[in-house]
Amino acid sequence: LPPAGQFREQYSIHEKHIILYVGRIHKRKGIDFLIRAFSSFIQTWTGDDVTLVIIGPDDGYRSVLEGLVEQLGLLDKVRFIGFIPSLAVAYQDADVLVYPATYEIFGLVPFEALLCGTPVIVTDDCGCGEIIKEAGCGYLVHYGDVTGLGEMLKYTLEHPDANKRVVEAGKRYIEEHLAWESVVKQVEEMYEGCIRHI
């Protein structure tokens, strides 16, 4: 991993806490849900300064989200950063990654973040949510539950010890089930099972 602090320095982020989204800027990704939840969270947050950082290429929805940010009075709290070549620097400097997508079969982003030591919040409406639940390696929220996600943001910023436990559980799960060696073994076993039934 790169040294911590590079992302903050490169993009002049001075707030103590970073809430991170990584992915395409598309309606299906649930970023509007995240922004509304962030607004709900900010209204009751009394801790240190916090910013929501949104990373990823625009897929035709950024202007809508920027309008929502302005409407909610969050212009000084939300940053849009386009594509960046190395996500590890962003994961490493973030306090939590939120993956608020719906109708997703699978998403690599939460597992990349876990490998970088960043806790994750994902919706229960996507494929990776099922894995996160099975492994106990992150926090689940119901898609569209603005209040619930806002409360979960607060929880993650206030409970670093719990975050460490879920991150370690995530790393173990990834090594045991999602590493190439494990995937190859599963595929081989599937082929062997098919051959036995011929």
Side-chain angles (χ1 to χ4, degrees):
L1 291 173
Q6 285 187 4
F7 179 72
R8 287 179 170 276
E9 182 178 351
Q10 184 175 355
Y11 293 98
S12 301
I13 298 173
H14 304 295
E15 290 86 354
K16 180 165 183 180
H17 299 295
I18 296 175
I19 295 169
L20 182 66
Y21 166 84
V22 171
R24 289 183 300 120
I25 312 300
H26 187 280
K27 184 174 183 177
R28 194 183 68 192
K29 293 292 187 176
I31 310 168
D32 55 336
F33 161 45
L34 170 57
I35 291 170
R36 291 182 192 281
F38 179 71
S39 177
S40 172
F41 155 76
I42 283 291
Q43 290 171 26
T44 59
W45 176 247
T46 57
D48 296 303
D49 286 348
V50 60
T51 185
L52 171 60
V53 176
I54 298 170
I55 294 177
D58 184 17
D59 205 355
Y61 198 56
R62 177 168 167 167
S63 62
V64 174
L65 296 176
E66 288 173 333
L68 178 61
V69 167
E70 183 174 4
Q71 175 190 334
L72 295 172
L74 297 172
L75 287 174
D76 62 336
K77 295 286 185 185
V78 179
R79 300 166 192 246
F80 288 88
I81 297 173
F83 170 82
I84 65 173
S86 172
L87 293 173
V89 292
Y91 293 139
Q92 197 166 1
D93 282 0
D95 291 81
V96 59
L97 173 112
V98 184
Y99 194 75
T102 183
Y103 303 124
E104 292 274 316
I105 297 172
F106 185 78
L108 282 176
V109 166
F111 301 103
E112 292 173 347
L114 285 166
L115 286 174
C116 292
T118 307
V120 300
I121 302 171
V122 302
T123 54
D124 58 3
D125 197 28
C126 63
C128 64
E130 296 174 10
I131 297 174
I132 295 292
K133 181 178 180 180
E134 175 189 334
C137 64
Y139 306 106
L140 289 181
V141 295
H142 185 64
Y143 179 80
D145 183 358
V146 169
T147 302
L149 178 51
E151 290 172 352
M152 191 57 73
L153 291 172
K154 184 178 182 213
Y155 180 88
T156 55
L157 295 186
E158 292 179 341
H159 294 84
D161 290 339
N163 295 340
K164 287 178 184 175
R165 288 194 293 272
V166 296
V167 165
E168 288 308 312
K171 289 179 178 179
R172 285 194 302 272
Y173 185 90
I174 291 166
E175 289 171 4
E176 292 171 7
H177 300 278
L178 302 179
W180 275 117
E181 294 83 0
S182 174
V183 173
V184 168
K185 185 178 178 183
Q186 292 174 47
V187 172
E188 286 176 343
E189 289 173 354
M190 182 174 61
Y191 276 117
E192 288 170 0
C194 291
I195 291 170
R196 282 196 298 269
H197 290 91
I198 293 178

